[in-house]
Amino acid sequence: MSEGIPCVWMRGGTSKGGIFLATDLPSDPVERDHLLLEIMGSPDCRQIDGMGGADPLTSKVGIVKKSSHPDCDVDYLFLQVFVDQAIVADSQNCGNILAAVGPFAIEQGLVPAEGDVTQVSVFMENTDQIAVLQIQTPNGKVTYKGNSAIDGVPGTSAPVTCEFKETAGSTCGALYPSGNLKDCIDGVDVTLIDNGMPVVILNASDFGLSGTESRAELDGNSGLKDRLESIRLQAGPLMNLGDVAEKSVPKMSLVSEPQNGGCISTRTFIPHRCHASIGVLGAVSVATAVITPGTVAYPLARVPDGDQKTLAVEHPTGEMTVVAYMDGDELRSAALLRSARKLFEGAVYPLEK
Protein backbone atom coordinates (compact mmCIF):
# COMPACT_ATOMS: atom_id res chain seq x y z
CA MET A 1 0.00 0.00 0.00
CA SER A 2 1.23 3.50 -0.82
CA GLU A 3 2.12 5.87 1.99
CA GLY A 4 -0.74 7.83 3.42
CA ILE A 5 -0.74 11.62 3.65
CA PRO A 6 -1.57 13.21 7.03
CA CYS A 7 -4.86 15.10 6.89
CA VAL A 8 -7.56 16.48 9.13
CA TRP A 9 -11.08 16.43 7.69
CA MET A 10 -13.02 19.36 9.12
CA ARG A 11 -16.26 21.22 8.84
CA GLY A 12 -15.75 24.95 8.58
CA GLY A 13 -18.98 26.95 8.61
CA THR A 14 -21.30 25.36 6.05
CA SER A 15 -18.49 23.65 4.11
CA LYS A 16 -16.14 20.78 4.79
CA GLY A 17 -12.95 19.43 3.36
CA GLY A 18 -9.39 18.32 3.97
CA ILE A 19 -6.95 20.52 5.89
CA PHE A 20 -3.27 19.79 5.25
CA LEU A 21 0.05 21.06 6.48
CA ALA A 22 1.90 22.50 3.50
CA THR A 23 4.90 20.32 4.34
CA ASP A 24 2.81 17.18 3.77
CA LEU A 25 1.94 18.03 0.15
CA PRO A 26 4.11 18.43 -2.96
CA SER A 27 5.52 21.93 -3.42
CA ASP A 28 4.96 21.75 -7.18
CA PRO A 29 1.40 23.02 -7.85
CA VAL A 30 0.80 20.68 -10.79
CA GLU A 31 1.82 17.61 -8.80
CA ARG A 32 -0.13 18.85 -5.76
CA ASP A 33 -3.32 19.44 -7.73
CA HIS A 34 -3.13 16.02 -9.40
CA LEU A 35 -2.80 14.47 -5.95
CA LEU A 36 -5.77 16.41 -4.58
CA LEU A 37 -7.96 15.32 -7.51
CA GLU A 38 -7.12 11.71 -6.62
CA ILE A 39 -7.81 12.29 -2.93
CA MET A 40 -11.22 13.86 -3.66
CA GLY A 41 -12.16 11.37 -6.39
CA SER A 42 -12.55 13.98 -9.12
CA PRO A 43 -13.66 14.13 -11.85
CA ASP A 44 -16.75 12.08 -11.02
CA CYS A 45 -20.21 13.38 -10.17
CA ARG A 46 -20.33 11.09 -7.10
CA GLN A 47 -16.62 11.34 -6.23
CA ILE A 48 -17.10 7.69 -5.35
CA ASP A 49 -13.39 6.84 -5.41
CA GLY A 50 -12.34 9.63 -3.07
CA MET A 51 -13.16 11.70 -0.03
CA GLY A 52 -15.25 14.38 -1.76
CA GLY A 53 -18.93 14.65 -0.93
CA ALA A 54 -20.28 15.11 -4.49
CA ASP A 55 -20.97 18.81 -3.89
CA PRO A 56 -18.75 21.90 -4.30
CA LEU A 57 -19.34 22.68 -0.60
CA THR A 58 -17.77 19.37 0.45
CA SER A 59 -14.93 19.24 -2.08
CA LYS A 60 -12.59 21.81 -0.57
CA VAL A 61 -9.01 21.94 0.65
CA GLY A 62 -7.12 24.21 3.03
CA ILE A 63 -3.30 24.21 3.10
CA VAL A 64 -1.72 25.76 6.19
CA LYS A 65 1.82 26.65 7.24
CA LYS A 66 3.63 28.88 9.71
CA SER A 67 3.46 32.40 8.32
CA SER A 68 6.40 34.22 6.80
CA HIS A 69 4.52 37.52 7.32
CA PRO A 70 5.46 39.37 10.51
CA ASP A 71 1.90 40.33 11.45
CA CYS A 72 0.37 36.88 10.91
CA ASP A 73 0.50 33.50 12.62
CA VAL A 74 -0.23 31.22 9.68
CA ASP A 75 -0.60 31.31 5.91
CA TYR A 76 -3.71 29.69 4.41
CA LEU A 77 -4.18 28.66 0.80
CA PHE A 78 -7.69 27.62 -0.24
CA LEU A 79 -8.25 25.26 -3.16
CA GLN A 80 -11.63 24.44 -4.69
CA VAL A 81 -11.56 20.93 -6.14
CA PHE A 82 -14.22 20.66 -8.83
CA VAL A 83 -16.50 17.66 -8.54
CA ASP A 84 -17.04 16.59 -12.16
CA GLN A 85 -14.08 18.29 -13.82
CA ALA A 86 -10.34 17.79 -13.38
CA ILE A 87 -9.89 21.34 -12.09
CA VAL A 88 -8.35 22.63 -8.87
CA ALA A 89 -8.96 26.38 -8.56
CA ASP A 90 -7.05 28.85 -6.40
CA SER A 91 -8.83 31.96 -7.68
CA GLN A 92 -10.88 32.60 -4.55
CA ASN A 93 -10.84 32.58 -0.78
CA CYS A 94 -13.21 30.50 1.32
CA GLY A 95 -14.34 32.08 4.57
CA ASN A 96 -16.08 28.91 5.70
CA ILE A 97 -12.98 26.69 5.50
CA LEU A 98 -11.10 29.64 7.04
CA ALA A 99 -13.06 29.02 10.25
CA ALA A 100 -11.43 25.57 10.48
CA VAL A 101 -7.92 26.96 9.96
CA GLY A 102 -7.76 28.54 13.43
CA PRO A 103 -8.43 25.40 15.51
CA PHE A 104 -6.31 23.33 13.09
CA ALA A 105 -3.34 25.69 13.53
CA ILE A 106 -3.58 25.50 17.32
CA GLU A 107 -3.97 21.73 17.46
CA GLN A 108 -1.08 21.23 15.02
CA GLY A 109 1.20 23.35 17.20
CA LEU A 110 1.56 26.24 14.77
CA VAL A 111 -0.04 28.69 17.21
CA PRO A 112 0.10 28.38 21.03
CA ALA A 113 -3.18 28.53 22.91
CA GLU A 114 -3.35 31.60 25.12
CA GLY A 115 -6.08 31.79 27.74
CA ASP A 116 -9.71 30.91 27.17
CA VAL A 117 -9.80 32.60 23.74
CA THR A 118 -6.87 32.48 21.32
CA GLN A 119 -6.47 34.96 18.49
CA VAL A 120 -5.14 33.55 15.22
CA SER A 121 -4.07 35.99 12.50
CA VAL A 122 -4.33 34.36 9.09
CA PHE A 123 -2.68 35.52 5.86
CA MET A 124 -5.00 34.42 3.06
CA GLU A 125 -2.63 33.52 0.23
CA ASN A 126 -5.28 33.54 -2.49
CA THR A 127 -5.79 37.29 -2.18
CA ASP A 128 -2.94 38.55 0.05
CA GLN A 129 -5.38 39.64 2.75
CA ILE A 130 -5.59 39.16 6.51
CA ALA A 131 -8.33 37.67 8.67
CA VAL A 132 -8.31 37.60 12.46
CA LEU A 133 -10.00 34.63 14.14
CA GLN A 134 -11.06 34.20 17.75
CA ILE A 135 -10.88 30.51 18.78
CA GLN A 136 -12.30 29.10 21.99
CA THR A 137 -9.47 27.50 24.01
CA PRO A 138 -10.63 26.94 27.61
CA ASN A 139 -7.83 25.57 29.80
CA GLY A 140 -5.46 26.03 26.87
CA LYS A 141 -7.12 23.50 24.55
CA VAL A 142 -9.34 23.89 21.50
CA THR A 143 -12.97 23.07 22.13
CA TYR A 144 -15.61 22.46 19.50
CA LYS A 145 -18.39 22.34 22.07
CA GLY A 146 -20.53 25.44 22.48
CA ASN A 147 -23.91 27.09 22.16
CA SER A 148 -23.50 28.96 18.87
CA ALA A 149 -25.79 28.00 15.99
CA ILE A 150 -25.38 28.91 12.33
CA ASP A 151 -27.98 28.30 9.65
CA GLY A 152 -27.15 25.34 7.45
CA VAL A 153 -25.48 23.34 10.26
CA PRO A 154 -27.48 21.25 12.73
CA GLY A 155 -26.96 21.67 16.45
CA THR A 156 -24.59 24.07 18.18
CA SER A 157 -20.81 24.47 18.38
CA ALA A 158 -18.14 26.75 19.78
CA PRO A 159 -18.17 30.14 18.04
CA VAL A 160 -15.40 31.22 15.67
CA THR A 161 -15.40 34.96 15.03
CA CYS A 162 -13.85 35.95 11.70
CA GLU A 163 -12.96 39.59 11.07
CA PHE A 164 -11.88 40.56 7.56
CA LYS A 165 -9.74 43.62 6.96
CA GLU A 166 -8.80 45.45 3.77
CA THR A 167 -10.56 42.96 1.52
CA ALA A 168 -11.82 45.50 -1.04
CA GLY A 169 -10.61 44.50 -4.49
CA SER A 170 -8.60 41.59 -3.12
CA THR A 171 -9.03 39.52 -6.30
CA CYS A 172 -10.15 42.03 -8.93
CA GLY A 173 -7.99 45.01 -7.95
CA ALA A 174 -10.89 47.30 -7.03
CA LEU A 175 -14.09 47.12 -5.02
CA TYR A 176 -16.08 47.89 -8.18
CA PRO A 177 -13.63 46.61 -10.82
CA SER A 178 -15.55 47.84 -13.85
CA GLY A 179 -15.48 51.36 -12.42
CA ASN A 180 -19.27 51.41 -12.20
CA LEU A 181 -21.80 50.70 -9.48
CA LYS A 182 -24.06 49.28 -12.15
CA ASP A 183 -23.40 47.76 -15.59
CA CYS A 184 -25.68 46.21 -18.20
CA ILE A 185 -24.91 42.77 -19.66
CA ASP A 186 -27.31 40.95 -21.99
CA GLY A 187 -29.89 43.62 -21.18
CA VAL A 188 -29.71 42.93 -17.43
CA ASP A 189 -28.49 45.44 -14.84
CA VAL A 190 -25.68 43.98 -12.73
CA THR A 191 -23.34 45.12 -9.98
CA LEU A 192 -19.82 43.75 -10.25
CA ILE A 193 -18.18 43.80 -6.81
CA ASP A 194 -15.21 42.29 -4.98
CA ASN A 195 -14.98 42.76 -1.23
CA GLY A 196 -13.18 39.51 -0.56
CA MET A 197 -15.12 37.51 -3.16
CA PRO A 198 -15.85 38.49 -6.77
CA VAL A 199 -19.65 38.53 -7.12
CA VAL A 200 -22.08 39.51 -9.86
CA ILE A 201 -25.25 40.82 -8.21
CA LEU A 202 -28.50 40.61 -10.18
CA ASN A 203 -32.14 41.39 -9.40
CA ALA A 204 -34.06 38.10 -9.33
CA SER A 205 -37.10 39.80 -10.84
CA ASP A 206 -35.14 40.50 -14.04
CA PHE A 207 -35.21 36.73 -14.61
CA GLY A 208 -38.91 36.35 -13.83
CA LEU A 209 -38.13 35.01 -10.36
CA SER A 210 -39.42 35.94 -6.94
CA GLY A 211 -36.07 35.23 -5.29
CA THR A 212 -37.70 32.80 -2.87
CA GLU A 213 -37.29 29.70 -5.06
CA SER A 214 -35.69 26.59 -3.59
CA ARG A 215 -32.19 25.48 -4.43
CA ALA A 216 -33.55 22.41 -6.26
CA GLU A 217 -35.94 24.51 -8.34
CA LEU A 218 -33.19 26.88 -9.43
CA ASP A 219 -30.74 24.06 -10.17
CA GLY A 220 -33.35 22.48 -12.41
CA ASN A 221 -33.91 25.69 -14.40
CA SER A 222 -31.53 25.15 -17.33
CA GLY A 223 -32.68 28.32 -19.11
CA LEU A 224 -31.80 30.43 -16.07
CA LYS A 225 -28.40 28.78 -15.71
CA ASP A 226 -27.61 29.37 -19.39
CA ARG A 227 -28.45 33.08 -19.01
CA LEU A 228 -26.39 33.40 -15.84
CA GLU A 229 -23.40 31.72 -17.46
CA SER A 230 -23.57 34.03 -20.47
CA ILE A 231 -23.51 37.03 -18.14
CA ARG A 232 -20.75 35.51 -16.01
CA LEU A 233 -18.46 34.90 -18.97
CA GLN A 234 -18.87 38.52 -20.07
CA ALA A 235 -18.42 39.81 -16.52
CA GLY A 236 -15.05 38.06 -16.15
CA PRO A 237 -13.03 40.48 -18.30
CA LEU A 238 -14.91 43.48 -16.86
CA MET A 239 -13.82 42.32 -13.39
CA ASN A 240 -10.17 41.88 -14.44
CA LEU A 241 -10.55 38.11 -14.12
CA GLY A 242 -10.01 37.32 -17.80
CA ASP A 243 -11.57 34.15 -19.24
CA VAL A 244 -13.56 32.61 -16.38
CA ALA A 245 -14.90 29.57 -18.26
CA GLU A 246 -12.84 27.25 -16.04
CA LYS A 247 -12.75 29.45 -12.93
CA SER A 248 -14.90 29.26 -9.83
CA VAL A 249 -15.34 33.05 -9.77
CA PRO A 250 -17.21 35.27 -10.09
CA LYS A 251 -20.15 33.94 -8.10
CA MET A 252 -23.63 34.90 -9.33
CA SER A 253 -26.01 36.19 -6.66
CA LEU A 254 -29.68 36.82 -7.39
CA VAL A 255 -31.08 39.29 -4.86
CA SER A 256 -34.59 40.24 -3.80
CA GLU A 257 -36.37 41.95 -0.92
CA PRO A 258 -35.89 40.19 2.44
CA GLN A 259 -38.63 37.81 3.54
CA ASN A 260 -37.69 36.99 7.13
CA GLY A 261 -36.61 40.22 8.77
CA GLY A 262 -33.14 40.39 7.21
CA CYS A 263 -31.62 43.07 5.02
CA ILE A 264 -31.61 41.24 1.66
CA SER A 265 -32.54 37.82 0.24
CA THR A 266 -30.06 35.90 -1.94
CA ARG A 267 -29.83 32.88 -4.20
CA THR A 268 -26.18 32.37 -5.15
CA PHE A 269 -24.64 30.20 -7.88
CA ILE A 270 -21.07 29.02 -7.12
CA PRO A 271 -20.91 29.41 -10.09
CA HIS A 272 -22.92 26.64 -11.79
CA ARG A 273 -24.89 25.16 -8.89
CA CYS A 274 -27.10 27.01 -6.46
CA HIS A 275 -25.46 27.36 -3.04
CA ALA A 276 -27.31 25.79 -0.10
CA SER A 277 -26.59 29.05 1.74
CA ILE A 278 -24.03 31.71 0.75
CA GLY A 279 -20.28 31.85 1.11
CA VAL A 280 -18.80 33.93 3.94
CA LEU A 281 -16.90 36.36 1.74
CA GLY A 282 -19.71 36.30 -0.80
CA ALA A 283 -21.97 37.54 1.99
CA VAL A 284 -19.47 40.33 2.74
CA SER A 285 -19.51 41.42 -0.90
CA VAL A 286 -23.32 41.35 -1.05
CA ALA A 287 -23.59 43.25 2.25
CA THR A 288 -21.24 45.90 0.90
CA ALA A 289 -23.44 46.40 -2.15
CA VAL A 290 -26.51 46.52 0.07
CA ILE A 291 -25.25 49.64 1.89
CA THR A 292 -24.10 51.44 -1.27
CA PRO A 293 -26.56 53.71 -3.13
CA GLY A 294 -26.51 53.05 -6.88
CA THR A 295 -26.03 49.28 -6.80
CA VAL A 296 -28.56 46.69 -7.94
CA ALA A 297 -28.99 45.53 -4.34
CA TYR A 298 -29.50 48.89 -2.63
CA PRO A 299 -33.18 49.56 -3.60
CA LEU A 300 -34.22 46.09 -2.42
CA ALA A 301 -32.51 46.22 0.98
CA ARG A 302 -33.49 47.18 4.48
CA VAL A 303 -30.42 48.72 6.10
CA PRO A 304 -30.20 49.84 9.74
CA ASP A 305 -28.66 53.15 10.79
CA GLY A 306 -25.46 53.53 12.79
CA ASP A 307 -21.71 53.06 12.55
CA GLN A 308 -22.07 49.35 13.33
CA LYS A 309 -24.64 47.70 11.10
CA THR A 310 -25.92 44.17 11.64
CA LEU A 311 -26.87 42.91 8.19
CA ALA A 312 -28.67 39.57 7.96
CA VAL A 313 -28.14 38.18 4.45
CA GLU A 314 -30.93 35.68 3.84
CA HIS A 315 -30.27 32.50 1.84
CA PRO A 316 -32.09 29.21 1.09
CA THR A 317 -31.37 27.64 4.49
CA GLY A 318 -31.58 30.69 6.73
CA GLU A 319 -29.37 33.76 7.03
CA MET A 320 -25.76 34.81 7.52
CA THR A 321 -25.19 37.87 9.66
CA VAL A 322 -22.49 40.32 8.60
CA VAL A 323 -21.46 42.97 11.12
CA ALA A 324 -20.30 46.02 9.15
CA TYR A 325 -18.03 48.50 10.94
CA MET A 326 -18.37 51.87 9.25
CA ASP A 327 -16.25 55.01 8.93
CA GLY A 328 -19.01 57.38 7.88
CA ASP A 329 -20.33 55.94 4.62
CA GLU A 330 -17.29 53.71 4.10
CA LEU A 331 -17.01 50.10 5.25
CA ARG A 332 -13.92 49.76 7.50
CA SER A 333 -14.11 46.00 8.21
CA ALA A 334 -16.62 43.19 8.44
CA ALA A 335 -16.97 40.31 10.88
CA LEU A 336 -18.99 37.10 10.85
CA LEU A 337 -19.78 34.36 13.30
CA ARG A 338 -18.89 30.87 12.11
CA SER A 339 -18.13 27.55 13.79
CA ALA A 340 -15.96 24.54 13.01
CA ARG A 341 -15.56 20.92 14.01
CA LYS A 342 -12.88 18.31 13.56
CA LEU A 343 -14.43 15.25 11.92
CA PHE A 344 -11.47 12.97 11.24
CA GLU A 345 -7.71 12.96 11.70
CA GLY A 346 -5.49 10.40 10.05
CA ALA A 347 -4.16 9.68 6.59
CA VAL A 348 -5.62 9.80 3.11
CA TYR A 349 -4.33 7.59 0.31
CA PRO A 350 -3.73 8.52 -3.32
CA LEU A 351 -3.91 5.96 -6.09
CA GLU A 352 -1.06 3.47 -6.11
CA LYS A 353 1.35 3.88 -9.02
Side-chain angles (χ1 to χ4, degrees):
M1 181 179 291
S2 61
E3 284 190 29
I5 298 168
C7 177
V8 181
W9 222 259
M10 298 188 73
R11 176 185 64 77
T14 54
S15 297
K16 67 179 176 181
I19 315 296
F20 297 85
L21 290 171
T23 51
D24 290 326
L25 291 174
S27 58
D28 176 64
V30 174
E31 186 181 349
R32 177 202 67 202
D33 291 354
H34 179 75
L35 181 65
L36 292 175
L37 287 166
E38 289 187 353
I39 288 170
M40 285 294 185
S42 298
D44 174 54
C45 63
R46 294 187 299 155
Q47 293 182 314
I48 193 64
D49 201 33
M51 296 293 293
D55 189 289
L57 302 183
T58 57
S59 186
K60 298 186 173 188
V61 168
I63 301 175
V64 183
K65 64 184 178 183
K66 193 75 176 175
S67 184
S68 57
H69 299 84
D71 297 329
C72 295
D73 297 308
V74 295
D75 295 343
Y76 154 56
L77 176 68
F78 170 71
L79 297 173
Q80 178 70 63
V81 182
F82 281 46
V83 174
D84 55 358
Q85 300 180 66
I87 297 172
V88 179
D90 65 357
S91 54
Q92 66 174 81
N93 279 319
C94 178
N96 276 306
I97 294 298
L98 170 69
V101 168
F104 174 88
I106 296 169
E107 292 193 328
Q108 294 295 316
L110 300 178
V111 180
E114 297 180 352
D116 290 341
V117 179
T118 299
Q119 178 174 293
V120 180
S121 296
V122 181
F123 182 80
M124 299 183 289
E125 292 188 51
N126 301 75
T127 54
D128 296 344
Q129 301 295 322
I130 295 173
V132 180
L133 313 180
Q134 304 290 337
I135 308 301
Q136 304 300 304
T137 52
N139 302 314
K141 292 185 178 181
V142 171
T143 183
Y144 298 100
K145 184 178 180 181
N147 298 317
S148 293
I150 59 174
D151 288 330
V153 177
T156 62
S157 304
V160 176
T161 302
C162 309
E163 183 177 3
F164 301 97
K165 300 181 177 181
E166 300 178 357
T167 53
S170 55
T171 299
C172 300
L175 180 62
Y176 296 98
S178 71
N180 305 313
L181 294 173
K182 191 183 295 182
D183 292 281
C184 186
I185 302 177
D186 285 352
V188 176
D189 285 340
V190 301
T191 290
L192 311 178
I193 187 170
D194 170 22
N195 199 7
M197 178 65 70
V199 177
V200 179
I201 298 175
L202 317 98
N203 189 330
S205 66
D206 287 337
F207 296 85
L209 301 171
S210 67
T212 62
E213 289 82 3
S214 69
R215 182 190 189 195
E217 185 177 353
L218 293 172
D219 267 339
N221 188 335
S222 58
L224 168 66
K225 294 169 77 171
D226 287 346
R227 290 184 67 189
L228 290 178
E229 183 64 1
S230 174
I231 293 170
R232 194 181 80 88
L233 293 175
Q234 294 172 72
L238 294 175
M239 300 181 77
N240 301 317
L241 296 170
D243 182 358
V244 297
E246 294 188 353
K247 293 182 179 179
S248 58
V249 291
K251 311 302 187 188
M252 309 294 286
S253 193
L254 299 165
V255 297
S256 58
E257 292 183 357
Q259 301 296 309
N260 299 299
C263 74
I264 195 78
S265 179
T266 63
R267 296 293 186 269
T268 301
F269 287 77
I270 54 172
H272 304 124
R273 295 174 68 176
C274 187
H275 202 309
S277 54
I278 187 172
V280 169
L281 290 161
V284 172
S285 288
V286 170
T288 305
V290 159
I291 61 176
T292 307
T295 67
V296 169
Y298 184 80
L300 301 170
R302 298 173 189 165
V303 180
D305 296 327
D307 293 333
Q308 180 176 317
K309 302 180 186 296
T310 299
L311 307 171
V313 179
E314 298 176 1
H315 55 69
T317 53
E319 57 91 8
M320 184 178 295
T321 297
V322 179
V323 179
Y325 301 101
M326 309 295 294
D327 280 332
D329 294 332
E330 299 293 324
L331 179 66
R332 184 178 78 248
S333 67
L336 296 98
L337 176 67
R338 298 280 83 193
S339 66
R341 189 164 81 86
K342 181 165 66 175
L343 305 173
F344 158 88
E345 183 171 6
V348 289
Y349 292 87
L351 295 170
E352 293 188 47
K353 304 302 181 185

